[in-house]
Amino acid sequence: MGPGRLPPTVGASRVVGVDLGGTKILAGIVDDDGRVRETRERATPTSSQDALIEALLETVEELRDSDVAAAGFAVPARVDRRTGVALGAVNIPLHELSLRDELGVRLGLPVAAINDASAAALAEHRFGAGRGSSNLVMLTLGTGVGGGVVIDGRLYDGWAELGHMVVVLDGEPCFGACSGRGHVEAYCSGTAADRVAERELGPGATAHDLVDQRHPALTPIGHCLGAAIGSLVNVFDPEVVVIGGGFGIAAGDLLLVPARSAVLREALAPGGQQVRLAPAELGVAAGMIGAALVAYEAL
Ligand SMILES: [Zn+2]
């Protein structure tokens, strides 16, 4: 327990879920039925790991009351679920950090950690677009591209870094700490779409300008996304592929319609015909709700 802190009330029944994104931190008090009560949002400090940790702690403390019994953190990093260690991230300064121990000790609460897109997949499976499905794949299109997989109703515990699948051999360099080329992230992330926007519309333009204008440059992005989804259908045979993340949700059908055509071509029958492509129903709250779900497991 942290110095000078009161322990949670006996029988405390709520948790704080925190979604650490590449650009912002979103946190909220979440009930065990997925209902979000109160939220806080702040910019993600990217100057150092210490600044990042302080911001996460402050965000939890702002929300915390005596009814909060645990905290869960969804982070854009590869996370060892057994140990709660963030092994490394592509787009933020997070490396070999034991979130469970470091944040747990400082907060004086049980803490769980999970990859952010896996958290979103868990939440969409439990409460959102994937309710009732056995096999689900989630792709989050934000600063980067994250992935999560549910198999036979259970979250797959491996990395599921679906954004770092190769879709173009020797293609565009990937971002941040990733040394690869031609990865989904380099074509379908919000960051990649920002670059397309600057090329099409001029300096300072962003992915949101493309969406606002329903710009045709979104079509090849959707096509590329669909090719990736087609491969995922061939591997996992999911009933539903959920598309989330800030850019994915904002673009919606502007990506999903061309993606559907590519899925029909790339996926083996009848997977391509049967798979449902669905926008995330929980919106940008999915990661936060998934973080809360693993916090409940930590109680
Ligand atoms: Zn990559």
Side-chain angles (χ1 to χ4, degrees):
M1 180 166 319
R5 292 229 179 75
L6 293 171
T9 311
V10 174
S13 57
R14 289 189 189 139
V15 303
V16 174
V18 183
D19 185 17
L20 170 60
T23 54
K24 69 181 185 196
I25 297 169
L26 177 64
I29 295 182
V30 183
D31 290 348
D32 61 2
D33 62 358
R35 195 176 336 173
V36 178
R37 294 196 169 265
E38 202 186 334
T39 60
R40 291 283 188 284
E41 193 178 315
R42 67 166 65 194
T44 301
T46 51
S47 55
S48 70
Q49 181 162 297
D50 285 344
L52 198 58
I53 290 170
E54 289 306 321
L56 291 173
L57 291 169
E58 282 172 22
T59 311
V60 174
E61 291 295 357
E62 281 176 20
L63 282 164
R64 187 173 181 178
D65 62 29
S66 60
D67 211 21
V68 168
F73 293 88
V75 297
R78 298 177 302 285
V79 175
D80 185 329
R81 289 280 313 280
R82 290 160 303 154
T83 58
V85 173
L87 298 170
V90 173
N91 294 303
I92 55 162
L94 201 57
H95 184 68
E96 293 288 336
L97 173 70
S98 176
L99 291 160
R100 195 161 76 190
D101 293 346
E102 171 108 20
L103 300 178
V105 166
R106 303 231 354 229
L107 289 168
L109 289 174
V111 159
I114 185 173
N115 169 268
D116 58 350
S118 286
L122 189 61
E124 289 289 342
H125 179 257
R126 189 79 62 86
F127 303 120
R131 274 189 311 278
S133 65
S134 294
N135 294 340
L136 169 151
V137 170
M138 172 114 198
L139 289 167
T140 58
L141 315 183
T143 306
V145 172
V149 180
V150 172
I151 301 172
D152 295 335
R154 288 174 50 104
L155 184 72
Y156 169 61
D157 255 355
W159 289 354
E161 287 284 1
L162 309 181
H164 298 276
M165 292 191 304
V166 176
V167 281
V168 179
L169 190 62
D170 299 324
E172 295 284 332
C174 202
F175 299 151
C178 179
S179 63
R181 284 183 166 264
H183 293 182
V184 179
E185 181 160 309
Y187 294 89
C188 303
S189 61
T191 310
D194 285 342
R195 290 183 184 179
V196 171
E198 291 220 315
R199 204 170 61 220
E200 294 286 332
L201 303 174
T206 69
H208 285 287
D209 298 316
L210 294 179
V211 172
D212 286 346
Q213 298 182 22
R214 305 180 68 79
H215 199 282
L218 290 167
T219 302
I221 298 175
H223 181 82
C224 185
L225 178 67
I229 293 171
S231 293
L232 291 166
V233 169
N234 290 337
V235 175
F236 294 109
D237 184 25
E239 294 137 89
V240 55
V241 175
V242 183
I243 304 300
F247 170 57
I249 290 165
D253 277 346
L254 297 168
L255 296 180
L256 292 184
V257 170
R260 165 59 70 184
S261 305
V263 170
L264 285 171
R265 191 179 77 180
E266 306 303 341
L268 298 174
Q273 287 77 17
Q274 290 177 350
V275 69
R276 192 159 57 86
L277 304 190
E281 281 182 16
L282 303 175
V284 293
M288 174 178 66
I289 294 170
L293 285 171
V294 294
Y296 278 109
E297 289 172 11
L299 284 175

